[in-house]
Amino acid sequence: MEVIIQPTPEEAARLVARIVAHDLRANPHLVLGLATGVTMERVYRHLVRMHQDEKLDFSLCSTFNLDEYVGLFPSDQNSYRHYMDHNLFRHVNVDPRNTHLPNGLAHDLEAECRAYEALIQRFGGIDLQLLGIGKAGHIGFNEPLSALRSRTRVKALTPTTLKQNAALFGGEDHVPRRAITMGVGTILECRRCILLATGDSKAEVVAKAVEGPITSMISATTLQLHPRCSVVVDEEAAANLKEKDYYRWIFENEPEWEGYR
Ligand code: F6R
């Protein structure tokens, strides 16, 4: 795992967007794993700008989102399908037929989860997966005690997550209690993972995820098992990290990051 510290949330998001753009230019058929949430909005703004100003081409890529609420219509403004359309898909030239989210309205949710896994396989697996992190450490909606080998499935949301998302739904009582999410095992199979966390509210959980022991109580800690995972943070989210000088040295000196400095 590598940790990249950027001065501001804007610069952290821009770096993540530049990594996506680099990988997309290198492989126009990229299979891109996407996340939703407030943190990712900035990344999508940068990608839209790159599409408009630099002709970043999404026409051949495919996307798979991490998760979707159970019971929301795609047209519901709190559904993740709506979020993706609104923040990215309708502003770039991705083929809508190549954008995938789990169907939280499926009659048979278990079959839907199995089909989602199979579809990811059919596309050859995910090349680059974007991740946010919840305040209690979830990636996707892999809440505490998510099995380290879990696959796409229905997960009940914890009180912390319900609270975190309450504002968007006009109160905790309106937040769906369950979501379909890729599993920890699904995420660990992606060829590259980029986790973005910004703001002081994420400082504590970032330190646990990066420098703490691996535990199913904090599913983000499992990224320590991933052979190619970068954690991109702003100064505030990096505040509780112990090895900041080391991380900064790597970003400033390792050839892999030369084009991003
Ligand atoms: C959303 C998702 C979640 C969020 C996380 C952070 O698709 O997978 O894990 O990334 O809850 O959300 P924000 O950015 O709103 O703090």
Side-chain angles (χ1 to χ4, degrees):
M1 183 184 268
E2 291 162 313
V3 181
I4 310 297
I5 305 171
Q6 295 288 287
T8 63
E10 198 57 44
E11 282 159 284
R14 182 164 167 268
L15 181 70
V16 172
R18 287 174 68 201
I19 294 170
V20 174
H22 171 274
D23 285 12
L24 188 54
R25 287 189 177 112
N27 172 16
H29 289 93
L30 195 75
V31 180
L32 183 57
L34 298 172
T36 59
V38 179
T39 315
M40 286 298 152
E41 287 175 10
R42 281 196 177 93
V43 175
Y44 298 139
R45 274 204 291 275
H46 281 289
L47 288 174
V48 170
R49 186 193 49 74
M50 287 171 174
H51 170 68
Q52 290 165 348
D53 299 350
E54 302 165 21
K55 298 195 169 35
L56 183 63
D57 181 14
F58 291 81
S59 63
L60 298 175
C61 83
S62 316
T63 67
F64 283 90
N65 267 76
L66 283 167
D67 41 21
E68 178 59 283
Y69 289 111
V70 167
L72 294 193
F73 282 91
S75 56
D76 189 304
Q77 59 174 355
N78 284 311
S79 77
Y80 286 164
R81 167 57 79 177
H82 182 273
Y83 171 105
M84 290 311 307
D85 285 343
H86 182 75
N87 285 288
L88 183 68
F89 296 157
R90 77 160 75 121
H91 307 292
V92 298
N93 63 336
V94 67
D95 183 340
R97 288 169 304 183
N98 288 337
T99 64
H100 307 95
L101 285 94
N103 176 9
L105 288 174
H107 181 64
D108 183 342
L109 291 170
E110 276 184 27
E112 167 63 16
C113 294
R114 283 194 301 274
Y116 201 64
E117 285 278 336
L119 198 61
I120 293 172
Q121 294 306 319
R122 209 176 317 142
F123 276 71
I126 293 170
D127 294 309
L128 175 63
Q129 177 66 55
L130 300 185
L131 299 162
I133 183 170
K135 289 196 184 99
H138 69 207
I139 47 176
F141 274 132
N142 289 289
E143 303 289 46
L145 296 187
S146 287
L148 270 53
R149 296 171 68 178
S150 52
R151 315 301 308 189
T152 300
R153 69 214 184 288
V154 175
K155 197 72 193 156
L157 307 183
T158 59
T160 313
T161 301
L162 296 175
K163 213 166 273 151
Q164 186 184 312
N165 294 347
L168 295 167
F169 285 85
E172 221 172 297
D173 291 346
H174 303 293
V175 185
R177 306 292 303 221
R178 294 148 78 227
I180 295 180
T181 179
M182 281 186 206
V184 176
T186 321
I187 294 169
L188 291 182
E189 274 173 21
C190 302
R191 284 183 270 280
R192 185 178 186 187
C193 289
I194 310 276
L195 185 144
L196 174 64
T198 57
D200 58 2
S201 68
K202 299 285 172 73
E204 203 179 312
V205 77
V206 164
K208 285 182 185 162
V210 173
E211 295 176 340
I214 296 175
T215 166
S216 64
M217 282 299 287
I218 303 174
S219 63
T221 61
T222 62
L223 293 169
Q224 295 172 28
L225 296 166
H226 195 285
R228 200 159 178 232
C229 176
S230 307
V231 173
V232 180
V233 287
D234 69 340
E235 286 289 351
E236 285 190 353
N240 293 8
L241 291 169
K242 292 197 184 75
E243 297 290 344
K244 273 190 272 191
D245 291 345
Y246 177 57
Y247 308 144
R248 287 192 219 280
W249 189 92
I250 289 180
F251 184 65
E252 289 307 328
N253 294 280
E254 290 297 348
E256 187 195 345
W257 297 106
E258 205 174 306
Y260 296 99
R261 293 196 278 267

